[in-house]
Amino acid sequence: MESLCCLRGVSMLLLLQTAAAMVMSPNSTGWQQILDKYLDEDGDWWEAKQRGKRAITDSDAQLILDLHNKLRGQVYPPASNMEYMVWDTELERTAEEWAETCLWEHGPAGLLPQIGQNLGAHWGRYRPPTFHVQAWYDEVKDYSFPYPQECNPYCPFRCSGPVCTHYTQLVWATSSRIGCAINLCYNMNVWGQIWAKAVYLVCNYSPKGNWWGHAPYKHGTPCSACPPSYGGGCKDNLCYKGISYPPKEETEENNFIEQEAPHTPSKFVHVFSCANPQKNLYVCVSAQLVICDTKLRDQCKGTPCNRYECPAGCLDATGKVVGTVYYEMQSSVCRAGLHAGVIDNDGGWMDVTRQGRKDFFIKSNKNGVQSLGKYQSANSFTVSRVAVKAITCETTVAQLCPYQKPAKHCPRLYCPRSCIEEKAHISRVIGTGIYSDKSSICWAAVHAGVIRNDVGGYIDVMPVDKRKLYIASYQNGISSESGSDRDKKEVKSYALRI
């Protein structure tokens, strides 16, 4: 992100006791029925606060999250890169800490450069927290979306009312994580008025939005410009890390990952398998998208089980970790990555290497994760960071990470755009779906439909067993060659899955 001033301004909402009823969209009957149950001061939220537990109930958190995603999916003009929001317990914690100060201002100052923040408060008759979320979105009436032709070099800020930065933060496409908290503040000073009993809502967002000179999202066909990490998933007009089309069937490898029931429905997806990409997809990634508590077990075999993408917030998960450096196979994959320092609580990519049986596993407390000890022989694995490397159009796997035993992890690769127009006389593609390591990686990715020639993008290269025959075909503007077992022996090649 460029060093641009963030739109802070007066990002607050003042709702007086005599405020009119909330303005809702024409199709809001269902939502109003859901919200009505919160008008009772003996409800879940008040009981939870009296018990001194979380600063927000699960039901309130889910309603806030669902309403954010509903509103983000219905923006006009439509967004091509709007990301599905998930709940982040670390953001919830920081929101709780600030809500407890009962200060009617943004803060804390040290955290604001890293997060976005919306505030809301009311007193008198109880209103659900989604009241404020809808009011933030309703600022759209004062906002005019800047189209690309207007953004030269930067987009104009089009706010005709006193404030619309609640709305722009709520619909900021890349702000994909949210955490909120509610606090009951006594004698709260709100713009010079003392409110005897104010209900204070703080919502923190990450990555932050509201950057000067940028539109909150890209205009276009929904999900046509999603980031590569979403792998083509689309749900309710939002880029979604889920299965949006049938995964490719594994015929030669057992690609099983134990799927446990998630603690909170719909927050994370268990497994995402790479498949034939949809139209306008930037990249399809051959790696496993897992939840925080997914275990690595012996049933998961083959190269598709070598690279994982973990969600944010795994420090607060309950999955056990057994061992230090070498982890027992029943360990949570993502929490082992946290323990080893390979990923942080924001999640991310990591590689797994199976290490065979170990006689014992040592317990330790590292990076906020307590691992267990085990003095019994069991299969083990280690974790490592995923390297990222930009390559040229003609780079081959044989040049980049030649075959060796045991097979090592290839870096995550970035292909430039317009490879088909460059060096066609030296770039070869051998095979279909599975390619010889003599093939141009980027050309093979375009041939497979994993990236588009005019866009380029990130890809993962996975070694698989040698093939006796590579099949020729014409796909996506590229003709691939066939290859025989004799060719393969001459160059000691191995097959390549992209």
Side-chain angles (χ1 to χ4, degrees):
M1 182 73 69
E2 299 178 43
S3 300
L4 300 173
C5 180
C6 183
L7 300 178
R8 290 178 188 160
V10 186
S11 295
M12 307 177 185
L13 180 65
L14 177 61
L15 298 175
L16 298 177
Q17 183 178 16
T18 57
M22 176 169 58
V23 179
M24 299 191 72
S25 60
N27 297 323
S28 62
T29 303
W31 276 102
Q32 190 59 55
Q33 292 174 349
I34 294 174
L35 302 185
D36 284 344
K37 68 179 182 179
Y38 287 90
L39 300 181
D40 181 6
E41 292 196 6
D42 294 325
D44 293 343
W45 176 72
W46 295 95
E47 292 179 3
K49 288 299 292 180
Q50 291 169 1
R51 292 195 302 268
K53 294 187 177 181
R54 286 179 59 194
I56 191 167
T57 63
D58 286 340
S59 58
D60 276 340
Q62 194 66 55
L63 279 175
I64 289 174
L65 180 63
D66 289 346
L67 184 54
H68 270 78
N69 282 321
K70 176 178 180 288
L71 297 172
R72 286 163 68 86
Q74 68 181 33
V75 293
Y76 185 84
S80 62
N81 67 328
M82 187 71 71
E83 300 181 34
Y84 184 88
M85 264 189 180
V86 296
W87 192 264
D88 188 300
T89 53
E90 181 63 18
L91 289 174
E92 177 189 332
R93 183 188 64 79
T94 59
E96 178 179 358
E97 290 176 354
W98 186 247
E100 289 176 349
T101 69
C102 292
L103 295 175
W104 186 233
E105 60 187 57
H106 285 288
L111 188 61
L112 290 177
Q114 286 80 46
I115 64 165
Q117 188 175 77
N118 279 346
L119 308 178
H122 72 271
W123 67 287
R125 185 171 71 88
Y126 176 69
R127 296 181 185 275
T130 41
F131 177 95
H132 299 284
V133 177
Q134 184 69 49
W136 295 337
Y137 183 84
D138 288 343
E139 292 174 4
V140 66
K141 68 182 185 299
D142 298 321
Y143 183 72
S144 299
F145 183 85
Y147 288 90
Q149 59 268 25
E150 304 173 69
C151 303
N152 187 21
Y154 298 119
C155 298
F157 181 57
R158 295 290 184 82
C159 189
S160 58
V163 63
C164 65
T165 52
H166 295 102
Y167 166 76
T168 52
Q169 175 58 80
L170 193 155
V171 300
W172 202 269
T174 58
S175 293
S176 60
R177 299 194 300 277
I178 184 175
C180 305
I182 305 169
N183 191 31
L184 186 62
C185 295
Y186 295 92
N187 299 320
M188 183 175 177
N189 187 330
V190 181
W191 291 333
Q193 295 185 7
I194 303 300
W195 290 6
K197 184 191 288 187
V199 178
Y200 189 21
L201 171 67
V202 177
C203 283
N204 289 344
Y205 300 82
S206 180
K208 74 180 301 174
N210 284 345
W211 294 97
W212 279 111
H214 291 263
Y217 57 83
K218 296 178 182 179
H219 168 229
T221 303
C223 300
S224 63
C226 293
S229 61
Y230 284 87
C234 186
K235 177 180 180 181
D236 299 329
N237 298 329
L238 303 175
C239 305
Y240 181 70
K241 291 183 179 179
I243 300 175
S244 57
Y245 42 79
K248 183 181 295 182
E249 182 180 357
E250 293 289 338
T251 57
E252 299 187 56
E253 295 171 329
N254 182 357
N255 187 18
F256 171 84
I257 285 190
E258 179 183 25
Q259 301 184 15
E260 300 179 352
H263 298 294
T264 305
S266 303
K267 287 192 178 180
F268 300 116
V269 179
H270 289 250
V271 178
F272 177 76
S273 298
C274 187
N276 293 329
Q278 295 178 326
K279 184 179 180 181
N280 297 323
L281 175 62
Y282 283 157
V283 62
C284 186
V285 180
S286 300
Q288 303 290 350
L289 176 62
V290 294
I291 63 171
C292 294
D293 293 339
T294 300
K295 298 176 183 178
L296 187 72
R297 301 187 64 182
D298 285 333
Q299 288 95 327
C300 188
K301 300 181 185 298
T303 52
C305 303
N306 288 348
R307 185 159 291 174
Y308 296 85
E309 183 177 4
C310 294
C314 288
L315 273 178
D316 298 318
T318 58
K320 68 178 181 180
V321 178
V322 179
T324 299
V325 180
Y326 293 96
Y327 299 99
E328 197 259 346
M329 296 290 284
Q330 295 285 348
S331 299
S332 157
V333 181
C334 297
R335 286 175 54 77
L338 284 171
H339 184 267
V342 169
I343 59 172
D344 58 25
N345 204 38
D346 288 332
W349 293 84
M350 67 179 191
D351 284 330
V352 166
T353 303
R354 288 158 185 74
Q355 299 288 351
R357 299 189 73 83
K358 297 295 177 183
D359 293 333
F360 59 87
F361 298 86
I362 301 172
K363 70 176 181 179
S364 65
N365 191 311
K366 297 176 64 178
N367 303 310
V369 176
Q370 175 66 58
S371 72
L372 305 175
K374 182 176 181 179
Y375 295 93
Q376 181 180 347
S377 176
N379 285 325
S380 67
F381 68 94
T382 57
V383 293
S384 58
R385 298 181 189 274
V386 175
V388 180
K389 182 180 179 62
I391 59 176
T392 62
C393 296
E394 64 271 16
T395 301
T396 68
V397 172
Q399 298 168 335
L400 184 71
C401 49
Y403 179 78
Q404 57 181 286
K405 289 188 177 181
K408 68 176 183 179
H409 298 287
C410 293
R412 192 156 198 232
L413 306 175
Y414 183 82
C415 286
R417 62 184 180 180
S418 303
C419 271
I420 293 181
E421 288 79 21
E422 294 186 13
K423 301 183 179 180
H425 61 288
I426 62 172
S427 296
R428 303 174 63 192
V429 178
I430 305 170
T432 299
I434 296 177
Y435 302 88
S436 162
D437 69 344
K438 293 186 294 182
S439 303
S440 157
I441 297 172
C442 297
W443 275 56
V446 174
H447 181 267
V450 171
I451 59 174
R452 285 167 32 197
N453 179 59
D454 60 334
V455 175
Y458 290 96
I459 63 172
D460 283 326
V461 172
M462 301 289 183
V464 295
D465 292 337
K466 292 182 178 181
R467 295 296 189 269
K468 294 182 178 179
L469 180 67
Y470 296 98
I471 301 172
S473 67
Y474 179 81
Q475 294 182 173
N476 302 309
I478 296 178
S479 294
S480 69
E481 308 171 28
S482 61
S484 68
D485 183 59
R486 181 176 57 83
D487 295 332
K488 199 168 57 169
K489 288 180 179 177
E490 287 176 358
V491 297
K492 298 181 180 178
S493 69
Y494 68 111
L496 160 68
R497 170 172 291 156
I498 297 180

